[in-house]
Amino acid sequence: MPVPVFHCRTNVGGVDVFYREAGPANAPVVLLPHGYPCSSYEFRDYMRHLGEDWRLLAPDFPGSGHSATPEAFAYDFDGFASFLEAFADTLGVGRFALYLHDFGSQIGLRLAIRDPRRVAAIIIQNGDIYEDVLGAKYAGLRDIWKMERPEGLRKLRESISKDHFRDEFLNDVHPELAQRIPPDLWELHWALMTERRQEIAAAIIYDLKDNLAWFPRYQAFLREHSPPALILWGPQDGYMPEESARAYLRDLPDAELHLLDAGHWLLETSLEEAVDLTRDFLKRVHDRV
């Protein structure tokens, strides 16, 4: 039975943070860091359908969604990982299952590397950590990464627009599937993009090239700690195709892999299937505190 999602605010290290919460306060926790160019909004329905048995927490990162955009914040993957750690601590969360999607996959894995004991399980959904199987859409980014930083930032800043957001949310899904992806995703998120947030987004995208050096560290964490893992993947993804999903089996050979008829934002089009697979998985690996 679906449960209510509560829309909350808290202070994390001096930052006014918006987050969504569903489920009993004493239930085992699922931590949901979001991707780009989205926010905790991407988990709104997923949380409703899993909140009977788990406490689901989805914050908006600083500079995203309904959270503040402080000038002093470190808008990089380490900064976001530190924020996610402080967010969990602020809400009294010790151990959790971790949902890894898009930028949130690298942020979540940096948090996991800091303290592997906190990670009860991982759900991997279109999150890239294998450079040799990145999709064709990365070609344009690689061209920008070859530019000097000022030129690359200028190029990226020029490209960040509502049309860019629309392209990011539709990605490479088949036309009939694209009709099931609500325009709310780009309309609502673009409305929240100030000039400062656009500058921040450009810098994060440019600095993705430095994050590639972390890929072997993410892989080593999975290989060495072997957390229980569920892989939910939408292969209609120009950044992270089917090969990107199968690459996880190199380091997590016992992981469950499910390829859905979906793209990068599969919770918009394959919600019921994702919820059923998640519920079955979590009941086996994360059913008590």
Side-chain angles (χ1 to χ4, degrees), residues 10-268:
T10 190
N11 186 289
V12 179
V15 180
D16 178 37
V17 172
F18 172 88
Y19 68 99
R20 300 170 200 261
E21 178 168 0
N26 62 347
V29 171
V30 181
L31 190 58
L32 302 153
H34 64 81
Y36 170 85
C38 208
S39 65
S40 62
Y41 184 79
E42 72 173 277
F43 300 113
R44 65 199 183 282
D45 292 325
Y46 184 75
M47 297 172 72
R48 291 178 61 242
H49 292 282
L50 292 168
E52 274 194 295
D53 298 298
W54 296 277
R55 182 188 184 194
L56 296 105
L57 297 169
D60 286 353
F61 285 116
S64 299
H66 298 296
S67 288
T69 309
E71 281 301 319
F73 187 80
Y75 293 98
D76 55 31
F77 287 98
D78 273 340
F80 288 126
S82 295
F83 162 80
L84 193 60
E85 182 176 37
F87 172 77
D89 292 344
T90 298
L91 295 186
V93 174
R95 205 156 184 256
F96 45 78
L98 191 57
Y99 195 105
L100 304 176
H101 176 234
D102 194 82
F103 282 13
S105 58
Q106 291 103 22
I107 295 165
L109 284 171
R110 290 196 189 208
L111 172 58
I113 288 170
R114 293 182 181 196
D115 191 351
R117 296 169 299 177
R118 298 185 78 166
V119 180
I122 57 174
I123 302 161
I124 304 165
Q125 192 253 294
N126 294 70
D128 49 337
I129 65 167
Y130 295 90
E131 187 174 2
D132 63 311
V133 287
L134 295 179
K137 279 187 177 291
Y138 267 97
L141 285 177
R142 290 187 186 279
D143 289 340
I144 290 175
W145 292 340
K146 294 174 184 175
M147 301 176 183
E148 294 297 323
R149 185 177 178 82
E151 183 184 3
L153 290 178
R154 179 183 59 78
K155 189 76 172 176
L156 286 166
R157 177 62 187 81
E158 290 172 355
S159 71
I160 294 174
S161 64
K162 185 162 73 172
D163 285 343
H164 160 72
F165 273 32
R166 180 180 181 274
D167 290 344
E168 288 293 303
F169 283 116
L170 294 179
N171 201 314
D172 279 1
V173 297
H174 300 155
E176 63 276 12
L177 200 62
Q179 293 180 338
R180 294 169 54 192
I181 296 179
D184 310 48
L185 285 168
W186 55 89
E187 294 286 351
L188 294 177
H189 286 92
W190 179 250
L192 296 170
M193 288 295 285
T194 62
E195 288 287 332
R196 176 62 181 136
R197 287 186 170 194
Q198 292 173 47
E199 293 171 358
I200 291 168
I204 293 170
I205 295 169
Y206 183 82
D207 291 338
L208 272 174
K209 66 176 185 177
D210 299 324
N211 188 52
L212 296 178
W214 273 75
F215 280 15
R217 297 177 67 174
Y218 302 146
Q219 296 160 19
F221 167 82
L222 298 178
R223 191 166 55 250
E224 293 166 11
H225 295 280
S226 298
L230 171 68
I231 305 172
L232 304 175
W233 209 272
Q236 299 170 41
D237 186 340
Y239 291 106
M240 305 163 208
E242 178 178 333
E243 293 78 11
S244 298
R246 295 192 181 279
Y248 277 93
L249 299 179
R250 303 172 189 172
D251 300 303
L252 292 170
D254 296 327
E256 296 179 36
L257 170 61
H258 300 272
L259 300 172
L260 309 185
D261 182 19
H264 191 77
W265 305 93
L266 65 77
L267 295 182
E268 298 297 329

